[in-house]
Amino acid sequence: MTSFEHHPRATRASSRRCMVSAFVLASLWAASSASAQDPAARVLAQEGKALVDAGKFDLGCPKLEEAWRLDPQLLGAGFSLGECHERSGKLASAWTVFMSVAGKAAARGEARAAEAQARADKLKPRLSTLTIEVPADVAGAAGLEVKLGDKPVSSSLFGTPIPRDGGSVTVVVTASGRPPWSKQVDVPSEGGKIDVVAQLGSTGSSDAPPSGGDGDQQPDTPGSTFWKPLRIGGVAALSLGAVGLGLGATFGVLAMQKRDESNEAGGCDPDTNFCSSSAGVDLRSESLLYGDVSTAMFVVGGVAAAAGVVMMVVPLSDEPTAGSTARVLIGPTSVALEGSFQ
């Protein structure tokens, strides 16, 4: 029996590892692992699709939504859910689902990605959107909270067109020590562009400003104060981190697959690492390569994601304050904040 460490073909296998590594880093190739599918999700997906095909959208959509929740990798359920939303007139919901399916299918290298993306692109010009503009005096109010119905709206979405399904929705604005303000708007089922300027009553006033009226026609304020360079860098770092972590997971799976193949087909002993064939040596060598790439991607992705989170949560003032400084320090395996924040 030949030792894995001293096999005559070890030199050639090492060269192959270098060549494969260069190819991987140059092309950023990724593959997706096959996850165990939830049986309940498959049953719900089949029932939901049958109901949608029969035109019973009010019954079919909830089943498909539950199937998609139970198994987000069940792309057939997601695609059927997108079709159900589209046929029932919920264009924004349909667009959101098709975009999700397209991204997941692309990560798995499936042809369905192109079809889902095409469906999303076709829907996008038809979407209705709601934009909530928040003036500086309102944005600076202590304890500010903006809601669409009962769902909070992140400050990162202020001034951004938010796709919405057709129907009535109420914008509610509250802040500590200030009278609340609300406005009900009717969003068209297709092609509507609704703009709402958030307001608050004056401190100490007894009544909230009336919904609607001339107060809603004030000029829009120029952009949100949230998107400063540090926050933009945070989004970029988070995106890089997500890619790195995804690649790390992918190559980790590939490493395990190659190791299993070397044990089964290559005659390698999983305990002693002795291999009885040159094919086993090659497979075990590829397993080590993919493991190294996986570790590197996890480190890069983790550091980038941590840096992105830090840059997104650092409190920033609209105007610089004397003695207020902040730096984000990023190292090969760490991220840290230094300074003071206003």
Side-chain angles (χ1 to χ4, degrees):
M1 183 173 292
T2 305
S3 170
F4 173 78
E5 290 80 1
H6 299 91
H7 196 279
R9 300 186 61 183
T11 300
R12 182 169 62 84
S14 178
S15 298
R16 178 180 298 179
R17 289 175 59 190
C18 293
M19 294 174 62
V20 174
S21 179
F23 172 77
V24 169
L25 296 178
S27 62
L28 291 179
W29 173 84
S32 175
S33 60
S35 60
Q37 294 180 340
D38 190 317
R42 294 188 63 83
V43 172
L44 286 169
Q46 293 169 356
E47 293 177 351
K49 189 176 187 306
L51 289 167
V52 172
D53 291 340
K56 299 179 180 180
F57 309 127
D58 57 334
L59 299 177
C61 285
K63 287 182 177 289
L64 290 168
E65 286 176 345
E66 182 61 10
W68 184 241
R69 186 191 68 81
L70 290 174
D71 190 352
Q73 298 304 319
L74 194 59
L75 301 188
F79 202 93
S80 296
L81 177 59
E83 291 185 322
C84 185
H85 283 323
E86 182 178 1
R87 293 175 64 183
S88 60
K90 296 181 177 180
L91 303 188
S93 295
W95 176 79
T96 301
V97 173
F98 281 134
M99 287 294 292
S100 179
V101 171
K104 293 179 179 180
R108 287 160 53 168
E110 294 187 8
R112 182 176 288 162
E115 184 179 0
Q117 187 64 55
R119 294 288 292 270
D121 292 343
K122 187 176 180 180
L123 282 173
K124 189 172 182 179
R126 301 171 55 195
L127 299 181
S128 289
T129 60
L130 173 61
T131 303
I132 302 176
E133 299 287 358
V134 182
D137 60 327
V138 176
L144 178 70
E145 185 174 48
V146 179
K147 290 184 176 181
L148 269 177
D150 58 353
K151 296 182 179 179
V153 178
S154 169
S155 59
S156 64
L157 293 176
F158 293 169
T160 299
I162 305 172
R164 293 284 305 179
D165 292 329
S168 296
V169 66
T170 301
V171 179
V172 180
V173 184
T174 58
S176 302
R178 303 284 292 273
W181 177 88
S182 66
K183 178 178 175 62
Q184 181 173 308
V185 295
D186 295 320
V187 180
S189 59
E190 182 172 338
K193 308 298 178 186
I194 309 298
D195 293 311
V196 175
V197 179
Q199 301 180 42
L200 280 173
S202 300
T203 303
S205 63
S206 57
D207 299 318
S211 297
D214 295 337
D216 295 330
Q217 304 303 318
Q218 63 186 11
D220 295 343
T221 56
S224 170
T225 60
F226 182 84
W227 291 109
K228 295 185 177 182
L230 188 63
R231 297 271 162 66
I232 295 173
V235 173
L238 284 172
S239 300
L240 177 61
V243 172
L245 294 175
L247 288 174
T250 295
F251 282 102
V253 172
L254 290 175
M256 290 186 289
Q257 289 177 343
K258 290 296 181 182
R259 182 177 177 83
D260 291 342
E261 290 177 17
S262 70
N263 294 339
E264 297 170 2
C268 297
D269 189 307
D271 297 322
T272 65
N273 287 331
F274 282 93
C275 299
S276 60
S277 69
S278 60
V281 172
D282 290 345
L283 288 169
R284 188 61 65 87
S285 179
E286 291 178 6
S287 172
L288 291 174
L289 165 64
Y290 290 142
D292 292 343
V293 175
S294 174
T295 300
M297 290 298 99
F298 272 122
V299 170
V300 172
V303 171
V309 170
V310 169
M311 288 188 280
M312 292 296 291
V313 302
V314 170
L316 300 173
S317 61
D318 293 338
E319 298 295 336
T321 302
S324 176
T325 60
R327 291 190 300 167
V328 179
L329 306 178
I330 302 175
T333 59
S334 64
V335 60
L337 282 175
E338 180 180 273
S340 60
F341 315 97
Q342 298 294 331

